[in-house]
Amino acid sequence: MTSIYLIRHAEAEGNLYRIAQGQYDSILTDRGWRQVRALERRFADIRIDAVYSSDLYRTCATASAIYKPKGLPLRRVRELREICVGDWEQRTWGDIYRRDPVQMENFSLHPERWQVPGAETPRQVLDRALAAIREIAGSNEGRTVAVFSHGYVIRLTLAALQGYTVEQLARTPVGDNTAVSLLETEGDSLRVVFRDDNSHLQTPEFLAGEKARKRANGVEPGLWFEPLRRQEQAELFEKLAAEAWKDAGAGRAFDRERLLADAAGRCTLVGYLDGEPVGLIQLGPETGWISLACIRADCRKRGFGVQLIGQAVQHTRLQGGERLSAAPAAGGPAERFFRDCGFAPAGAAEDGRVILVKEIGYDPEFLGKCGENAPL
């Protein structure tokens, strides 16, 4: 008999920033790394003979919870990748919902109807994932292995093994990040012993680091973004900027002309919900420098602010940057927000404000694709 622990990756950028990550190589969040450590504690006394992972960054990084402490090689398998979502890749869920509500509903409730240019079908994903898992089982007779994959792939696989069709997928649960399922194989038989267990995330040790977190709403479409057209939206820009200026508590009057002058040549993105602007983020002049980030006063504490950071990450990576920086007023709400988003002190600006930095680069160790260490 072969035992297979099937494990979802830890929280990654797309999960937090409400961006469709599909087969994009997103990195883990700070919370994701805490989940990795919780997973390592869970498996500390469990014998694992081999570790397999999809070749995407977020699964390889999560797999380090097991392969590193146990001194095992990581074996990457392309067929364990998340579903390719085609034209949806790297778009916000808010933008997808706005532009294609029918296919968004199909993706959630009627996967057999879901069609997006360039995307895989759920059936194609299920066929490749099940074939890979069966081949891993056949190569590890009598052993215990850990297999790291993705939310949609795992949900499809578990549903099929429990007798659900693709059309019935919506009836099945969605496992949390790092949720653990156990499969057992004997001959050609493959059965689910348990699924989607997250008990390692319910321990006092893990919960001590948790913070109250809010998101846009139950289905979490979040915001969609467009570049600011200052001539058409000057009033919006000035209103939100004035609010941010006031929050900074800098003890100086709002300088409209300076603000508009500074905006020239910088990238300013406006976030919308239901067609209404709720916030903006401005980047520049240096790569990765956040010169302004603000959410409309009546829309705060609803999980929108972190989505601004998601846009900063995407924009900065396209420019080749590997870190974000900001210099909010010390002790104010902006500083607390950036620190909550994983920014850490890295010096002081000329005017005495603290410079906060967030690293967004990739660790080369987790970027390896299928190659000489592929097992199949």
Side-chain angles (χ1 to χ4, degrees), residues 108-128:
S108 301
L109 302 176
H110 308 289
E112 76 281 2
R113 304 179 194 170
W114 182 67
Q115 292 183 329
V116 170
E120 293 178 282
T121 67
R123 172 56 62 182
Q124 288 172 325
V125 176
L126 177 60
D127 288 346
R128 65 166 163 83

Side-chain angles (χ1 to χ4, degrees), residues 163-208:
Y164 293 92
T165 65
V166 169
E167 291 79 6
Q168 296 171 324
L169 183 65
R171 302 181 190 178
T172 66
V174 178
D176 292 336
N177 291 112
T178 69
V180 178
S181 301
L182 178 60
L183 313 180
E184 286 183 349
T185 69
E186 196 156 10
D188 294 332
S189 173
L190 184 60
R191 73 183 186 93
V192 179
V193 179
F194 64 78
R195 65 174 293 169
D196 302 326
D197 181 78
N198 69 347
S199 56
H200 55 287
L201 303 182
Q202 306 305 315
T203 65
E205 188 170 7
F206 179 80
L207 293 174

Side-chain angles (χ1 to χ4, degrees), residues 120-370:
E120 293 178 282
T121 67
R123 172 56 62 182
Q124 288 172 325
V125 176
L126 177 60
D127 288 346
R128 65 166 163 83
L130 263 179
I133 290 171
R134 290 188 184 279
E135 192 162 354
I136 289 170
S139 301
N140 290 276
E141 182 63 38
R143 306 174 82 197
T144 299
V145 301
V147 174
F148 289 82
S149 190
H150 303 261
Y152 200 80
V153 171
I154 292 174
R155 190 182 184 195
L156 280 169
T157 300
L158 295 175
L161 294 177
Q162 292 183 320
Y164 293 92
T165 65
V166 169
E167 291 79 6
Q168 296 171 324
L169 183 65
R171 302 181 190 178
T172 66
V174 178
D176 292 336
N177 291 112
T178 69
V180 178
S181 301
L182 178 60
L183 313 180
E184 286 183 349
T185 69
E186 196 156 10
D188 294 332
S189 173
L190 184 60
R191 73 183 186 93
V192 179
V193 179
F194 64 78
R195 65 174 293 169
D196 302 326
D197 181 78
N198 69 347
S199 56
H200 55 287
L201 303 182
Q202 306 305 315
T203 65
E205 188 170 7
F206 179 80
L207 293 174
E210 286 287 80
K211 299 176 182 177
R213 306 174 72 199
K214 295 183 180 180
R215 286 179 172 163
N217 57 45
V219 295
E220 302 179 19
L223 305 180
W224 53 273
F225 292 83
E226 283 190 349
L228 176 75
R229 301 179 298 276
R230 283 193 299 279
Q231 289 184 341
E232 301 173 31
Q233 301 173 336
E235 183 179 347
L236 161 70
F237 179 68
E238 292 179 36
K239 179 178 184 297
L240 290 175
E243 288 180 0
W245 198 284
K246 179 180 178 182
D247 287 344
R252 61 183 187 273
F254 173 56
D255 190 335
R256 175 182 180 276
E257 295 306 319
R258 176 185 168 186
L259 187 78
L260 293 176
D262 286 348
R266 300 184 184 184
C267 172
T268 305
L269 299 172
V270 181
Y272 293 85
L273 181 71
D274 298 327
E276 291 294 322
V278 300
L280 60 80
I281 187 160
Q282 184 181 87
L283 294 136
E286 296 87 7
T287 299
W289 182 264
I290 300 175
S291 50
L292 182 65
C294 49
I295 293 291
R296 212 171 66 200
D298 61 331
C299 293
R300 295 175 184 173
K301 297 186 178 181
R302 293 174 58 186
F304 297 136
V306 73
Q307 296 176 51
L308 301 180
I309 302 301
Q311 294 302 298
V313 169
Q314 286 192 313
H315 183 271
T316 300
R317 285 217 184 105
L318 286 174
Q319 292 186 313
E322 295 187 339
R323 64 169 51 183
L324 300 178
S325 302
E335 181 182 2
R336 292 193 294 272
F337 166 73
F338 281 113
R339 286 179 179 268
D340 282 346
C341 289
F343 287 71
E350 292 182 359
D351 59 4
R353 290 178 298 164
V354 63
I355 296 177
L356 300 177
V357 168
K358 181 178 179 67
E359 300 294 338
I360 61 170
Y362 294 99
D363 185 333
E365 177 179 358
F366 305 126
L367 276 173
K369 304 298 182 183
C370 296

Side-chain angles (χ1 to χ4, degrees), residues 8-19 21 24-38 57-59 61-62 64 177-178 201 206 209-211 213 215 306-307 309-310 313 317 324 339-343 358-363 366:
R8 187 185 177 193
H9 66 78
E11 183 183 79
E13 292 171 325
N15 305 124
L16 179 61
Y17 301 145
R18 308 314 306 145
I19 295 170
Q21 51 194 352
Y24 172 72
D25 260 333
S26 55
I27 66 174
L28 300 186
T29 65
D30 295 335
R31 183 172 186 255
W33 280 111
R34 290 199 305 107
Q35 292 171 340
V36 169
R37 292 191 291 272
Y57 188 100
R58 56 192 184 273
T59 42
T62 307
S64 67
N177 291 112
T178 69
L201 303 182
F206 179 80
E210 286 287 80
K211 299 176 182 177
R213 306 174 72 199
R215 286 179 172 163
V306 73
Q307 296 176 51
I309 302 301
V313 169
R317 285 217 184 105
L324 300 178
R339 286 179 179 268
D340 282 346
C341 289
F343 287 71
K358 181 178 179 67
E359 300 294 338
I360 61 170
Y362 294 99
D363 185 333
F366 305 126

